[in-house]
Each structure stands twice: as structure tokens, then as C-alpha cells.
Amino acid sequence: MEGPNALLLAVIGVGIMLAGYFLYSKYLSKRVFKLNDAYKTPAHQFNDGTDYVPTNRFVLWGHHFTSVAGAAPIVGPAIAVIWGWLPAFLWVVFGTVFFAGMHDLGSLWASARNKGQSLGTLSGRYIGPRGRNLFLVVIFFLLMMVIAAFATVTSGLLVDSPTAVIPTWGALIVALFVGQAIYRWNWNLPIVTVVGVIALFILIPLGDRFPLSFPDELLGLPPATWWIIILFAYGAIASLLPVWVLMQPRDYINGLQLFIALALLYVSVAIATPTVVAPAINNNVPADTPSLMPLLFVTIACGAISGFHGTVSSGTTSKQIDREGDARFVGYFGAVGEGLLALGTILVTTAAFRTVTEWEEMYDSFSSGGVEVFVEAGGTMVNQGLGLPAGLSSTILATMAVLFAATTMDTAVRLQRYIVQEIGQTFNVKIDMYTATAIAVGICIALTFSAGADGSGGVLIWPLFGTTNQLLAALTLSIVAVMLMRRRRPFLPVLIPAVFVIFVSIYALIVQLGQFYNDGNWLLLVLDIIVLIAAVWVLIEAALAMVRTRHQEPDPEDEEALTEEELLPAGTPRK
């Protein structure tokens, strides 16, 4: 039976996500989180010009969107469509509205209401010291996976797509200019934005015309090794610079470029109106494909709900938010942006093929899907819809994938620096930012090169990313639920998704335990057990904290409890 038109799925999916932003996020903001623009956010409380910087909400949205939307919302859906387009479509669309948007908005609110503290610190306050220590273990493992894996993935993309090299690294020069123009020269933001975006898009045909690559061997090392070294050096430097100098303007201007590229993808779907050739439910999956339940819900993490988002929200974004009301646009709409990327991935990886046989040849095993399929299929879609040359279309999509992965990696290095410092505090050891960065980068480099100079060690523990990521999301929602219970606020919009994500994540961890044991993969088996024990322990602590709240006096409503020190002075200019 012929599948639906991809344009119809795009209209339905985008329509539901936008309805979620305009309707559901408004309910969450007013009734559940009660956002208050009069509250003095951490960016104003602790403005230090480095990590705490009051930021225009559009600029901050760009930082948040590109930090959370790495390669994962491309990789996950591009793999998960092997079970058919319908399960992936439903999980991405409704997961974005009721899970991801609420999670990102809630974690941003929770951190901003607590001096920009991280989830690890918040878990200590609302769950207990044991919960905090175990929470830090889960976050540390997750960030280690993200940094090491994204370094390997990004280096592979740069090796396979030399036309993306000039746009990728040229974006750094543009970002430095944008940062100076906004914060030092006080230029008009729309003018800076237009100039920056034009400069970035000039780099794409330039890169397509002049591809750059390392020789097959340089000083005895392959090209992938050199790119990994360069990426780690960049990540370390970016994590130490004041956030407004490079990381924030890079994320902002890249976010606009990536959103435009995403728009080109959707416009191509609208013009080409291709038919989805993949089955709605695939009953003829390859032999190595695991069961849909529960693996679908951890294969597509970013794009439906992702614990990494909460780490970004409470790690960098909460320290830059100008007004608390901006959390709705930055947090919830940032999740919508990632949902649109995941939906676009589903469309191109199921409809950019002529026949179902051609699609099945591409998906001949569970590991066949990924960024490469997205770049190839997306390039075909843009070529069919807009008539751009196939090579240039692929360059646009490859650059898009590289920039998403790279911007997530540099944010993750900064976050890991924070976590190392927090772990030091639990042992009463003060670790400066330079030492913390060296520890964070050093551990990830060791993991990346643990299996050889090609950096394949970076993906050794990636099979645990989805489950660890979803467990972190469940733990984050548990903290937010406790905060709401203590304030006697509506908590079911948070607690119901938390229970669902807890169930599928622990189920997936148990399933993977059997797989790792049967494969004799003892490293992943041990790490799986550690993550499982830590997560279950934290969840028990969270459940006990929820029970205790029933017997405690409620926290005073924020609006009544705010002191003069916690209120913005009247007439404070909006960034």
C-alpha cells in the first residue's frame, strides 16, 4: 500500500508542535511554573561577564537551541525509522509537546529560581546529599559520552565531507565578530544578525568550491586523529573564554543558519511533495534489529525528550537568561526547534527514495541509519525540491550536521568543567576552571583514543547514551516535581512524563544488560550496572522526598516570598 505524502506529515507534525508552544507552554508558564519577569535572574544577581551574562532572548535561544540540538536528533530518528515511520513520528511530535518542551522549560525555571545552580546541586537540596552524589555520577558519564562521541562523529563528518571544512571553521571568525559587535561596539542586533548570516552562507559555496582535507597520513597519524585533536583543543579554549566572546555568538548565528537550512529542507518537501516509501510499521526488519519496545524511546532521545537538555538549561542557559519570562521562548521553543529537526530527519529518511526496495537496501541492518543517510537523503530532497546542484545540497546538509555536533560538543566541555568543580566541592577540594577543564578534556581524550588512533573509542560506550540520557531526564523531572509539590503547584504535567520515562529507561537498561552479557562486552556491562544502580537509588531518594513533602509545610508562593534583593529594579532595560 502506498504511503502518505511527506508534506501531509510535515503539516500535521509542525502544526501540533506550534500548537504546543502557543497553547500548552502558555499554560505551563502561567499555572505551573508561574514565571515572573520581576524576579532578578542569576544573570543579574551574579553578572561576572564570563559565565553570568544577561542576554537577549533571541541570542540566548540560538545558544540553547544549537547546544541541545547536536547530532543526536539526526542520528536517533535516522536509525529509528527502521521500525517504520509511524512510531518515530508519534514519539517525536507528541514527545516534543508534552515531554521535551516541558522538561526544558521546567529545568530552566528550576535552575533560574536557585541562583543558576546545576541539577547536581539542586538534587542535593530537594532530594538529599546521597541523591546529589549519585546524580553527579550520571551527569558525568553522560557528558563523557557526548564529548567523546561527538568528537569522533564530527571528525568523521569533516573527513567524509571536506566541502564542509571552510563553513565549519569560518563560522568561528564570524562568531568572534558578532560577539564584539553586540557586546563591545553596541551595534544594532538585526544588522549584526543579517551581516553574520550572509557571511555564513557565503562560506558554504566557498567550501563547496574549495574542499579541504588532511593528507592520508601526517606525522604518522590519519586525518580523523588530527581533527579530533583540533576539536578538543577548540572545546577547551571555548569553555574557558567568556561566554559572550565565542560560544554564545557562535551558537546564536549558527542557530539562525541552521534554522534557515532546516527551512530549506521543509520547503523542499513542500515543493517536491514526495511519497513516504517506508512502511508505517515495518514487519520485515533486519535480523539484528532489537525490539521496538522499549528501544524506540531511547533510540530517539534528543528530538522527543533528552536529559542532556536539562544539563544545558541548568548549566549555561540559566546563567544568561535576562527575564524569567524568557524561559518559555528559550526553553520550550528551543525544544520545538529540535523536534522540527528530528521530524525533518524522519521525512527525508523515509521519503527521499524512489521505492521501498531502495529504502530497504539502505536499511539492511540496524546500524545502517545515521548522519550519513540524513546527509545523502537530505541532499537528494533539496536537489529535487529546489533544484540546487546535488553536491551543493549535500554540502549544506553536511555543514548543518557538523555545526550541530560541534556546538553541542563545546557546550558539553564547559558543562563537564562545572561538574568536575562540583565533584571537587563534595570532597571539599577547590578546583580552578583551568584544572577542571584539563581533567574534563583529558578523560574524554583518553576514552576517544582508547581503541586506537582513529578515535573509535569515542563510540565504545555510545550504546549506553540513549538510556543514560533518558534516565537523566527522568531524574530532572523528579527534582522539578518535588519543587512543585513543595509549592503546592500542579505537578501531574511533570510527574506523569517522569514515570513513563523512568519505566522505559530502566526497561531498556535491563534489556541491554542481557545484550552486553551475551556479546561478552564486559565494559558496557559494568557501566550499565553502575548507571542502573545510581539511577534507581536516586529515584528511590526522589520518591521518598515526594512522600516527605506531604508532611511538610508548603514553601511560600514565590511572588509573596521575594525580597527586594530578589527583584529587578524598576525600569531595568531589557536585553
mmCIF file of all heavy atoms in Angstrom, residues 108-148:
data_model
loop_
_atom_site.group_PDB
_atom_site.id
_atom_site.type_symbol
_atom_site.label_atom_id
_atom_site.label_comp_id
_atom_site.label_asym_id
_atom_site.label_seq_id
_atom_site.Cartn_x
_atom_site.Cartn_y
_atom_site.Cartn_z
ATOM 1 N N LEU A 108 14.976 24.793 33.263
ATOM 2 C CA LEU A 108 15.476 26.166 33.196
ATOM 3 C C LEU A 108 14.888 27.000 34.324
ATOM 4 O O LEU A 108 15.600 27.763 34.988
ATOM 5 C CB LEU A 108 15.133 26.771 31.834
ATOM 6 C CG LEU A 108 15.584 28.211 31.546
ATOM 7 C CD1 LEU A 108 17.063 28.392 31.832
ATOM 8 C CD2 LEU A 108 15.260 28.580 30.103
ATOM 9 N N TRP A 109 13.589 26.860 34.570
ATOM 10 C CA TRP A 109 12.939 27.571 35.678
ATOM 11 C C TRP A 109 13.532 27.146 37.022
ATOM 12 O O TRP A 109 13.834 27.987 37.869
ATOM 13 C CB TRP A 109 11.438 27.278 35.653
ATOM 14 C CG TRP A 109 10.726 27.625 36.930
ATOM 15 C CD1 TRP A 109 10.359 28.871 37.356
ATOM 16 C CD2 TRP A 109 10.318 26.713 37.957
ATOM 17 N NE1 TRP A 109 9.740 28.783 38.589
ATOM 18 C CE2 TRP A 109 9.703 27.461 38.975
ATOM 19 C CE3 TRP A 109 10.411 25.330 38.117
ATOM 20 C CZ2 TRP A 109 9.180 26.883 40.136
ATOM 21 C CZ3 TRP A 109 9.892 24.744 39.264
ATOM 22 C CH2 TRP A 109 9.285 25.511 40.259
ATOM 23 N N ALA A 110 13.708 25.836 37.213
ATOM 24 C CA ALA A 110 14.218 25.325 38.484
ATOM 25 C C ALA A 110 15.602 25.890 38.793
ATOM 26 O O ALA A 110 15.890 26.299 39.928
ATOM 27 C CB ALA A 110 14.264 23.799 38.450
ATOM 28 N N SER A 111 16.472 25.933 37.792
ATOM 29 C CA SER A 111 17.824 26.452 37.999
ATOM 30 C C SER A 111 17.825 27.956 38.198
ATOM 31 O O SER A 111 18.510 28.481 39.090
ATOM 32 C CB SER A 111 18.715 26.075 36.814
ATOM 33 O OG SER A 111 20.023 26.571 36.976
ATOM 34 N N ALA A 112 17.040 28.679 37.374
ATOM 35 C CA ALA A 112 16.994 30.133 37.496
ATOM 36 C C ALA A 112 16.445 30.560 38.853
ATOM 37 O O ALA A 112 16.832 31.603 39.384
ATOM 38 C CB ALA A 112 16.140 30.727 36.372
ATOM 39 N N ARG A 113 15.550 29.768 39.437
ATOM 40 C CA ARG A 113 14.994 30.069 40.754
ATOM 41 C C ARG A 113 15.939 29.686 41.883
ATOM 42 O O ARG A 113 15.649 29.946 43.046
ATOM 43 C CB ARG A 113 13.664 29.347 40.929
ATOM 44 C CG ARG A 113 12.494 30.069 40.308
ATOM 45 C CD ARG A 113 12.099 31.267 41.125
ATOM 46 N NE ARG A 113 11.236 32.181 40.392
ATOM 47 C CZ ARG A 113 10.416 33.024 40.974
ATOM 48 N NH1 ARG A 113 10.350 33.085 42.278
ATOM 49 N NH2 ARG A 113 9.693 33.850 40.237
ATOM 50 N N ASN A 114 17.063 29.070 41.527
ATOM 51 C CA ASN A 114 18.032 28.642 42.539
ATOM 52 C C ASN A 114 19.441 29.091 42.163
ATOM 53 O O ASN A 114 20.384 28.297 42.140
ATOM 54 C CB ASN A 114 17.984 27.121 42.714
ATOM 55 C CG ASN A 114 16.747 26.647 43.435
ATOM 56 O OD1 ASN A 114 16.693 26.617 44.655
ATOM 57 N ND2 ASN A 114 15.722 26.269 42.678
ATOM 58 N N LYS A 115 19.563 30.382 41.812
ATOM 59 C CA LYS A 115 20.863 31.027 41.588
ATOM 60 C C LYS A 115 21.661 30.399 40.441
ATOM 61 O O LYS A 115 22.893 30.436 40.438
ATOM 62 C CB LYS A 115 21.696 31.012 42.869
ATOM 63 C CG LYS A 115 21.018 31.695 44.046
ATOM 64 C CD LYS A 115 21.860 31.629 45.311
ATOM 65 C CE LYS A 115 21.158 32.322 46.474
ATOM 66 N NZ LYS A 115 21.940 32.254 47.731
ATOM 67 N N GLY A 116 20.978 29.802 39.483
ATOM 68 C CA GLY A 116 21.668 29.202 38.350
ATOM 69 C C GLY A 116 22.401 27.927 38.695
ATOM 70 O O GLY A 116 23.317 27.516 37.972
ATOM 71 N N GLN A 117 21.990 27.269 39.782
ATOM 72 C CA GLN A 117 22.669 26.047 40.218
ATOM 73 C C GLN A 117 22.367 24.897 39.273
ATOM 74 O O GLN A 117 21.305 24.828 38.652
ATOM 75 C CB GLN A 117 22.242 25.689 41.639
ATOM 76 C CG GLN A 117 22.728 26.691 42.684
ATOM 77 C CD GLN A 117 22.180 26.392 44.066
ATOM 78 O OE1 GLN A 117 21.155 25.749 44.210
ATOM 79 N NE2 GLN A 117 22.864 26.877 45.089
ATOM 80 N N SER A 118 23.310 23.961 39.196
ATOM 81 C CA SER A 118 23.163 22.821 38.302
ATOM 82 C C SER A 118 22.202 21.800 38.892
ATOM 83 O O SER A 118 21.814 21.868 40.067
ATOM 84 C CB SER A 118 24.520 22.158 38.066
ATOM 85 O OG SER A 118 24.916 21.449 39.231
ATOM 86 N N LEU A 119 21.836 20.830 38.071
ATOM 87 C CA LEU A 119 20.936 19.781 38.528
ATOM 88 C C LEU A 119 21.543 18.979 39.674
ATOM 89 O O LEU A 119 20.824 18.525 40.564
ATOM 90 C CB LEU A 119 20.605 18.849 37.361
ATOM 91 C CG LEU A 119 19.764 19.465 36.238
ATOM 92 C CD1 LEU A 119 19.668 18.496 35.073
ATOM 93 C CD2 LEU A 119 18.382 19.836 36.742
ATOM 94 N N GLY A 120 22.859 18.799 39.654
ATOM 95 C CA GLY A 120 23.503 18.078 40.732
ATOM 96 C C GLY A 120 23.308 18.771 42.069
ATOM 97 O O GLY A 120 22.953 18.140 43.078
ATOM 98 N N THR A 121 23.508 20.091 42.092
ATOM 99 C CA THR A 121 23.316 20.855 43.319
ATOM 100 C C THR A 121 21.841 20.873 43.726
ATOM 101 O O THR A 121 21.511 20.747 44.910
ATOM 102 C CB THR A 121 23.814 22.297 43.130
ATOM 103 O OG1 THR A 121 25.198 22.258 42.768
ATOM 104 C CG2 THR A 121 23.653 23.099 44.412
ATOM 105 N N LEU A 122 20.954 21.020 42.746
ATOM 106 C CA LEU A 122 19.522 21.036 43.046
ATOM 107 C C LEU A 122 19.063 19.702 43.630
ATOM 108 O O LEU A 122 18.206 19.666 44.519
ATOM 109 C CB LEU A 122 18.725 21.345 41.779
ATOM 110 C CG LEU A 122 18.864 22.753 41.194
ATOM 111 C CD1 LEU A 122 18.003 22.892 39.943
ATOM 112 C CD2 LEU A 122 18.474 23.805 42.220
ATOM 113 N N SER A 123 19.622 18.614 43.144
ATOM 114 C CA SER A 123 19.247 17.305 43.679
ATOM 115 C C SER A 123 19.645 17.199 45.144
ATOM 116 O O SER A 123 18.938 16.572 45.944
ATOM 117 C CB SER A 123 19.891 16.180 42.863
ATOM 118 O OG SER A 123 21.303 16.229 42.947
ATOM 119 N N GLY A 124 20.778 17.815 45.521
ATOM 120 C CA GLY A 124 21.182 17.812 46.918
ATOM 121 C C GLY A 124 20.205 18.579 47.792
ATOM 122 O O GLY A 124 19.899 18.177 48.917
ATOM 123 N N ARG A 125 19.677 19.674 47.267
ATOM 124 C CA ARG A 125 18.752 20.499 48.050
ATOM 125 C C ARG A 125 17.371 19.878 48.153
ATOM 126 O O ARG A 125 16.748 19.909 49.228
ATOM 127 C CB ARG A 125 18.641 21.882 47.403
ATOM 128 C CG ARG A 125 17.637 22.790 48.100
ATOM 129 C CD ARG A 125 17.632 24.184 47.519
ATOM 130 N NE ARG A 125 16.654 25.021 48.183
ATOM 131 C CZ ARG A 125 16.418 26.301 47.894
ATOM 132 N NH1 ARG A 125 17.131 26.887 46.938
ATOM 133 N NH2 ARG A 125 15.503 26.985 48.536
ATOM 134 N N TYR A 126 16.870 19.307 47.068
ATOM 135 C CA TYR A 126 15.487 18.837 47.056
ATOM 136 C C TYR A 126 15.332 17.335 47.255
ATOM 137 O O TYR A 126 14.232 16.856 47.544
ATOM 138 C CB TYR A 126 14.811 19.255 45.743
ATOM 139 C CG TYR A 126 14.576 20.738 45.667
ATOM 140 C CD1 TYR A 126 15.442 21.563 44.954
ATOM 141 C CD2 TYR A 126 13.512 21.322 46.335
ATOM 142 C CE1 TYR A 126 15.242 22.939 44.896
ATOM 143 C CE2 TYR A 126 13.300 22.692 46.286
ATOM 144 C CZ TYR A 126 14.170 23.494 45.566
ATOM 145 O OH TYR A 126 13.975 24.858 45.522
ATOM 146 N N ILE A 127 16.417 16.573 47.075
ATOM 147 C CA ILE A 127 16.333 15.126 47.267
ATOM 148 C C ILE A 127 17.197 14.665 48.431
ATOM 149 O O ILE A 127 16.784 13.863 49.250
ATOM 150 C CB ILE A 127 16.745 14.385 45.973
ATOM 151 C CG1 ILE A 127 15.753 14.701 44.845
ATOM 152 C CG2 ILE A 127 16.798 12.882 46.202
ATOM 153 C CD1 ILE A 127 16.072 14.030 43.524
ATOM 154 N N GLY A 128 18.431 15.183 48.517
ATOM 155 C CA GLY A 128 19.310 14.805 49.608
ATOM 156 C C GLY A 128 20.737 14.643 49.132
ATOM 157 O O GLY A 128 20.994 14.528 47.925
ATOM 158 N N PRO A 129 21.714 14.612 50.071
ATOM 159 C CA PRO A 129 23.130 14.537 49.680
ATOM 160 C C PRO A 129 23.481 13.261 48.928
ATOM 161 O O PRO A 129 24.297 13.290 48.026
ATOM 162 C CB PRO A 129 23.870 14.629 51.026
ATOM 163 C CG PRO A 129 22.846 14.291 52.071
ATOM 164 C CD PRO A 129 21.539 14.743 51.529
ATOM 165 N N ARG A 130 22.880 12.128 49.304
ATOM 166 C CA ARG A 130 23.177 10.887 48.572
ATOM 167 C C ARG A 130 22.687 10.999 47.134
ATOM 168 O O ARG A 130 23.367 10.593 46.188
ATOM 169 C CB ARG A 130 22.520 9.688 49.265
ATOM 170 C CG ARG A 130 23.182 9.256 50.549
ATOM 171 C CD ARG A 130 22.662 7.893 50.987
ATOM 172 N NE ARG A 130 21.211 7.911 51.183
ATOM 173 C CZ ARG A 130 20.597 8.211 52.326
ATOM 174 N NH1 ARG A 130 21.339 8.515 53.390
ATOM 175 N NH2 ARG A 130 19.283 8.195 52.422
ATOM 176 N N GLY A 131 21.486 11.543 46.985
ATOM 177 C CA GLY A 131 20.947 11.735 45.645
ATOM 178 C C GLY A 131 21.829 12.644 44.812
ATOM 179 O O GLY A 131 22.042 12.406 43.621
ATOM 180 N N ARG A 132 22.384 13.684 45.441
ATOM 181 C CA ARG A 132 23.258 14.608 44.710
ATOM 182 C C ARG A 132 24.496 13.899 44.192
ATOM 183 O O ARG A 132 24.868 14.059 43.018
ATOM 184 C CB ARG A 132 23.672 15.760 45.631
ATOM 185 C CG ARG A 132 24.654 16.751 44.987
ATOM 186 C CD ARG A 132 25.346 17.576 46.045
ATOM 187 N NE ARG A 132 26.122 16.717 46.929
ATOM 188 C CZ ARG A 132 26.519 17.076 48.151
ATOM 189 N NH1 ARG A 132 26.198 18.259 48.632
ATOM 190 N NH2 ARG A 132 27.225 16.240 48.889
ATOM 191 N N ASN A 133 25.152 13.127 45.035
ATOM 192 C CA ASN A 133 26.390 12.470 44.626
ATOM 193 C C ASN A 133 26.151 11.478 43.489
ATOM 194 O O ASN A 133 26.922 11.405 42.523
ATOM 195 C CB ASN A 133 27.020 11.747 45.819
ATOM 196 C CG ASN A 133 27.468 12.709 46.912
ATOM 197 O OD1 ASN A 133 27.687 13.897 46.648
ATOM 198 N ND2 ASN A 133 27.579 12.224 48.130
ATOM 199 N N LEU A 134 25.074 10.713 43.584
ATOM 200 C CA LEU A 134 24.763 9.757 42.530
ATOM 201 C C LEU A 134 24.321 10.464 41.260
ATOM 202 O O LEU A 134 24.621 10.021 40.147
ATOM 203 C CB LEU A 134 23.673 8.801 43.012
ATOM 204 C CG LEU A 134 24.103 7.857 44.146
ATOM 205 C CD1 LEU A 134 22.891 7.194 44.783
ATOM 206 C CD2 LEU A 134 25.075 6.806 43.637
ATOM 207 N N PHE A 135 23.614 11.588 41.421
ATOM 208 C CA PHE A 135 23.193 12.379 40.271
ATOM 209 C C PHE A 135 24.410 12.877 39.506
ATOM 210 O O PHE A 135 24.447 12.849 38.268
ATOM 211 C CB PHE A 135 22.362 13.570 40.764
ATOM 212 C CG PHE A 135 21.391 14.097 39.748
ATOM 213 C CD1 PHE A 135 20.038 13.867 39.867
ATOM 214 C CD2 PHE A 135 21.822 14.835 38.660
ATOM 215 C CE1 PHE A 135 19.136 14.351 38.939
ATOM 216 C CE2 PHE A 135 20.940 15.327 37.724
ATOM 217 C CZ PHE A 135 19.582 15.082 37.866
ATOM 218 N N LEU A 136 25.418 13.330 40.230
ATOM 219 C CA LEU A 136 26.642 13.813 39.585
ATOM 220 C C LEU A 136 27.332 12.698 38.802
ATOM 221 O O LEU A 136 27.921 12.941 37.746
ATOM 222 C CB LEU A 136 27.598 14.389 40.636
ATOM 223 C CG LEU A 136 27.190 15.727 41.258
ATOM 224 C CD1 LEU A 136 28.136 16.107 42.388
ATOM 225 C CD2 LEU A 136 27.156 16.824 40.208
ATOM 226 N N VAL A 137 27.255 11.462 39.310
ATOM 227 C CA VAL A 137 27.841 10.321 38.598
ATOM 228 C C VAL A 137 27.159 10.130 37.243
ATOM 229 O O VAL A 137 27.815 9.972 36.206
ATOM 230 C CB VAL A 137 27.716 9.029 39.441
ATOM 231 C CG1 VAL A 137 28.095 7.800 38.601
ATOM 232 C CG2 VAL A 137 28.610 9.111 40.665
ATOM 233 N N VAL A 138 25.814 10.193 37.239
ATOM 234 C CA VAL A 138 25.060 10.007 35.997
ATOM 235 C C VAL A 138 25.385 11.122 35.005
ATOM 236 O O VAL A 138 25.617 10.880 33.814
ATOM 237 C CB VAL A 138 23.542 9.963 36.278
ATOM 238 C CG1 VAL A 138 22.758 9.870 34.970
ATOM 239 C CG2 VAL A 138 23.207 8.773 37.175
ATOM 240 N N ILE A 139 25.414 12.380 35.489
ATOM 241 C CA ILE A 139 25.715 13.514 34.608
ATOM 242 C C ILE A 139 27.121 13.397 34.044
ATOM 243 O O ILE A 139 27.358 13.645 32.852
ATOM 244 C CB ILE A 139 25.551 14.844 35.365
ATOM 245 C CG1 ILE A 139 24.090 15.047 35.778
ATOM 246 C CG2 ILE A 139 25.996 16.019 34.481
ATOM 247 C CD1 ILE A 139 23.872 16.293 36.625
ATOM 248 N N PHE A 140 28.081 13.014 34.890
ATOM 249 C CA PHE A 140 29.473 12.903 34.449
ATOM 250 C C PHE A 140 29.595 11.873 33.329
ATOM 251 O O PHE A 140 30.240 12.125 32.301
ATOM 252 C CB PHE A 140 30.372 12.508 35.621
ATOM 253 C CG PHE A 140 31.835 12.435 35.271
ATOM 254 C CD1 PHE A 140 32.630 13.568 35.318
ATOM 255 C CD2 PHE A 140 32.414 11.236 34.884
ATOM 256 C CE1 PHE A 140 33.980 13.511 34.979
ATOM 257 C CE2 PHE A 140 33.757 11.164 34.541
ATOM 258 C CZ PHE A 140 34.532 12.309 34.592
ATOM 259 N N PHE A 141 28.966 10.708 33.508
ATOM 260 C CA PHE A 141 29.019 9.669 32.483
ATOM 261 C C PHE A 141 28.372 10.158 31.189
ATOM 262 O O PHE A 141 28.887 9.917 30.092
ATOM 263 C CB PHE A 141 28.317 8.401 32.971
ATOM 264 C CG PHE A 141 29.217 7.452 33.706
ATOM 265 C CD1 PHE A 141 28.993 7.146 35.034
ATOM 266 C CD2 PHE A 141 30.298 6.862 33.073
ATOM 267 C CE1 PHE A 141 29.830 6.280 35.725
ATOM 268 C CE2 PHE A 141 31.141 5.986 33.745
ATOM 269 C CZ PHE A 141 30.904 5.702 35.079
ATOM 270 N N LEU A 142 27.229 10.837 31.305
ATOM 271 C CA LEU A 142 26.525 11.300 30.109
ATOM 272 C C LEU A 142 27.373 12.293 29.324
ATOM 273 O O LEU A 142 27.516 12.182 28.100
ATOM 274 C CB LEU A 142 25.191 11.943 30.497
ATOM 275 C CG LEU A 142 24.379 12.487 29.317
ATOM 276 C CD1 LEU A 142 23.828 11.336 28.472
ATOM 277 C CD2 LEU A 142 23.245 13.371 29.783
ATOM 278 N N LEU A 143 27.946 13.273 30.013
ATOM 279 C CA LEU A 143 28.756 14.284 29.330
ATOM 280 C C LEU A 143 30.010 13.661 28.721
ATOM 281 O O LEU A 143 30.449 14.069 27.638
ATOM 282 C CB LEU A 143 29.128 15.403 30.305
ATOM 283 C CG LEU A 143 27.971 16.304 30.748
ATOM 284 C CD1 LEU A 143 28.445 17.311 31.794
ATOM 285 C CD2 LEU A 143 27.373 17.047 29.562
ATOM 286 N N MET A 144 30.587 12.682 29.407
ATOM 287 C CA MET A 144 31.759 11.992 28.865
ATOM 288 C C MET A 144 31.396 11.312 27.545
ATOM 289 O O MET A 144 32.152 11.370 26.565
ATOM 290 C CB MET A 144 32.270 10.966 29.876
ATOM 291 C CG MET A 144 33.546 10.240 29.446
ATOM 292 S SD MET A 144 34.194 9.184 30.775
ATOM 293 C CE MET A 144 32.886 7.963 30.903
ATOM 294 N N MET A 145 30.216 10.666 27.500
ATOM 295 C CA MET A 145 29.764 10.035 26.263
ATOM 296 C C MET A 145 29.562 11.063 25.158
ATOM 297 O O MET A 145 29.975 10.850 24.009
ATOM 298 C CB MET A 145 28.436 9.304 26.505
ATOM 299 C CG MET A 145 28.502 8.127 27.431
ATOM 300 S SD MET A 145 26.832 7.426 27.639
ATOM 301 C CE MET A 145 27.050 6.498 29.159
ATOM 302 N N VAL A 146 28.902 12.174 25.493
ATOM 303 C CA VAL A 146 28.596 13.203 24.490
ATOM 304 C C VAL A 146 29.874 13.781 23.900
ATOM 305 O O VAL A 146 30.027 13.884 22.677
ATOM 306 C CB VAL A 146 27.737 14.325 25.114
ATOM 307 C CG1 VAL A 146 27.635 15.511 24.162
ATOM 308 C CG2 VAL A 146 26.349 13.797 25.448
ATOM 309 N N ILE A 147 30.817 14.173 24.764
ATOM 310 C CA ILE A 147 32.038 14.821 24.291
ATOM 311 C C ILE A 147 32.864 13.872 23.426
ATOM 312 O O ILE A 147 33.286 14.221 22.315
ATOM 313 C CB ILE A 147 32.881 15.324 25.486
ATOM 314 C CG1 ILE A 147 32.115 16.410 26.248
ATOM 315 C CG2 ILE A 147 34.220 15.870 25.003
ATOM 316 C CD1 ILE A 147 32.725 16.761 27.591
ATOM 317 N N ALA A 148 33.100 12.664 23.928
ATOM 318 C CA ALA A 148 33.936 11.707 23.192
ATOM 319 C C ALA A 148 33.271 11.291 21.879
ATOM 320 O O ALA A 148 33.918 11.271 20.819
ATOM 321 C CB ALA A 148 34.205 10.479 24.063
#
